[in-house]
Amino acid sequence: METYQDLFAKMPLFQGISRKDCESILNCMDGRKKYFQKQEVIWSEGEPARKVGIVLSGCVQVVSEDVFGNRNILEKLMPGELFGAAYACAGVGGSPVSVVAVTDSQVFQVDIQRVLEVCPASCPFHQQLIRNLVTILAGKNVMLGEKLRHLSKRTTREKLLSYLSETAKQKNARHFVIPFNRQELADYLCVERSAMSAELSKLRRDGVLDYRKSEFWLI
């Protein structure tokens, strides 16, 4: 069975760092493991954004919600992925988003200031850790840019086709599984679920695509 140490060693945040040094880093960053039940809020909008979360098991979503209850899914994260790094590094006083456990999940939280400040122990791997963090943040910025391209489309049909086309290119296949159920996909694309479902049915009738739950075929 894969241990958390094995997972950490494979993470982009710890690329180029030995397993032994990885364990030292986790102690240096005052890492704490926490457990969250399904639908439990890991942190709420407005809370101080000082910690970075690493998903150890389960699945979590980064979401924003307006005063009318409309939800927008920004990210869906699986084991080994990070959340909160951009807000913590930017020194945002209160988080503009919430993080929710989609399933029973375990999260490792670390103090981002221990990463950004000069290491008092003069750890030789500290600079590598910072480079890895910058690379991850840049990747997340690219991902958000891709989402903005989908949302910039005017109609629900265009948003769907933009997202599904981009997913097919990323997976280099016309048959793929997306990481969202119907409601989550509607929240991710900022459209009404009923309108999206109707558009999917039209696309199927037009012979553009086929689907079964979260599995899609582009024809």
Side-chain angles (χ1 to χ4, degrees):
M1 180 180 294
E2 186 176 54
T3 65
Y4 293 134
Q5 287 79 8
D6 294 329
L7 177 62
F8 285 134
K10 295 177 181 178
M11 286 179 55
L13 182 62
F14 299 112
Q15 289 299 301
I17 300 174
S18 70
R19 178 166 175 165
K20 179 181 178 181
D21 287 340
C22 178
E23 293 175 357
S24 297
I25 288 173
L26 296 176
N27 292 327
C28 182
M29 293 191 298
D30 191 29
R32 303 293 173 86
K33 183 168 64 177
K34 294 188 177 181
Y35 299 82
F36 297 92
Q37 296 181 339
K38 180 179 180 179
Q39 299 304 316
E40 186 175 356
V41 176
I42 297 173
W43 79 48
S44 302
E45 181 178 343
E47 288 188 17
R50 300 193 186 99
K51 299 284 186 178
V52 170
I54 302 171
V55 182
L56 297 178
S57 66
C59 173
V60 309
Q61 287 179 347
V62 181
V63 302
S64 64
E65 190 170 317
D66 63 24
V67 294
F68 303 106
N70 298 309
R71 187 179 67 150
N72 178 17
I73 297 176
L74 301 177
E75 289 185 278
K76 187 171 185 178
L77 303 171
M78 305 303 290
E81 296 188 284
L82 274 67
F83 60 86
Y87 304 120
C89 290
V92 176
S95 172
V97 299
S98 298
V99 182
V100 181
V102 179
T103 64
D104 290 349
S105 304
Q106 297 180 57
V107 172
F108 200 84
Q109 296 184 332
V110 298
D111 184 351
I112 190 63
Q113 294 304 318
R114 299 290 187 92
V115 178
L116 300 178
E117 296 173 352
V118 176
C119 179
S122 299
C123 301
F125 43 74
H126 196 85
Q127 290 301 318
Q128 181 64 44
L129 184 69
I130 292 176
R131 285 194 291 269
N132 292 343
L133 180 60
V134 170
T135 300
I136 292 170
L137 292 176
K140 287 182 177 291
N141 190 47
V142 170
M143 181 201 68
L144 289 176
E146 292 172 352
K147 180 177 179 180
L148 285 176
R149 286 201 297 274
H150 306 325
L151 298 187
S152 68
K153 306 300 181 182
R154 293 183 178 276
T155 67
T156 298
R157 183 187 184 98
E158 290 173 339
K159 290 179 180 181
L160 273 169
L161 290 177
S162 177
Y163 171 72
L164 294 174
S165 174
E166 183 65 30
T167 303
K169 287 193 292 185
Q170 290 176 352
K171 296 182 178 294
N172 195 29
R174 287 178 173 264
H175 173 216
F176 51 85
V177 177
I178 65 173
F180 302 117
N181 60 32
R182 286 290 181 274
Q183 185 60 59
E184 290 171 341
L185 180 58
D187 290 340
Y188 181 77
L189 295 176
C190 299
V191 297
E192 289 289 338
R193 177 178 176 174
S194 57
M196 186 191 72
S197 295
E199 206 56 63
L200 282 172
S201 297
K202 291 179 183 178
L203 288 166
R204 173 186 270 170
R205 288 198 303 270
D206 293 343
V208 176
L209 55 79
D210 199 3
Y211 57 87
R212 183 175 62 243
K213 295 185 177 180
S214 296
E215 190 174 9
F216 284 82
W217 293 261
L218 301 187
I219 302 172

